[in-house]
Amino acid sequence: QVQLVESGGGSVQAGGSLRLSCVASESIFSINAMGWYRQAPGKQRELVAVITNGDSTNYADSVKGRFTISRDNAKNTVSLQMNSLKPEDTAVYYCNADLNLYGPLGPDFVSWGQGTQVTVSS
């Protein structure tokens, strides 16, 4: 079972930057598409960025040009660089496999982490 631990969140002013990290307990090479998700209270979980083993990336329209996703399979990590942050980015951020490929519960061999809180003030 792959355990995921997110870190790097915090409180920043609008226009600021944060870098989030996701460390897996074992190899993520077998997961072709890894992504970052976010969920604000009372709202649906949103996929904000995805990256494949071939370093192909995709972003939600709301974060394009501001966020950059990367992965390092040798270190079992996935990162999210967030620049020009807006109050609308406030949410708990999680990493996991691309749920579009596995369904809403994700792969049965991967466990959700507790996420990391990002708070952006105006």
Side-chain angles (χ1 to χ4, degrees):
Q1 191 75 13
V2 178
Q3 308 294 326
L4 302 170
V5 180
E6 300 92 346
S7 63
S11 298
V12 298
Q13 294 185 68
S17 298
L18 286 171
R19 185 174 180 85
L20 308 184
S21 295
C22 169
V23 180
S25 61
E26 56 192 274
S27 177
I28 58 171
F29 179 76
S30 63
I31 307 173
N32 185 55
M34 290 289 296
W36 278 96
Y37 302 79
R38 66 186 182 188
Q39 188 166 25
K43 303 187 71 174
Q44 288 189 327
R45 183 177 57 229
E46 175 189 20
L47 176 63
V48 299
V50 64
I51 186 168
T52 69
N53 278 325
D55 291 331
S56 176
T57 60
N58 251 311
Y59 300 90
D61 288 342
S62 59
V63 307
K64 282 183 178 177
R66 301 189 297 119
F67 290 11
T68 303
I69 188 172
S70 60
R71 68 188 291 169
D72 187 341
N73 287 344
K75 297 181 179 180
N76 300 332
T77 61
V78 183
S79 299
L80 185 69
Q81 178 66 47
M82 306 186 295
N83 299 324
S84 302
L85 284 163
K86 304 175 180 180
E88 306 92 89
D89 297 319
T90 296
V92 178
Y93 285 71
Y94 303 87
C95 65
N96 209 321
D98 182 0
L99 299 185
N100 291 327
L101 302 177
Y102 293 93
L105 297 180
D108 58 8
F109 58 90
V110 179
S111 297
W112 287 94
Q114 293 190 330
T116 186
Q117 176 72 50
V118 171
T119 302
V120 185
S121 60
S122 61

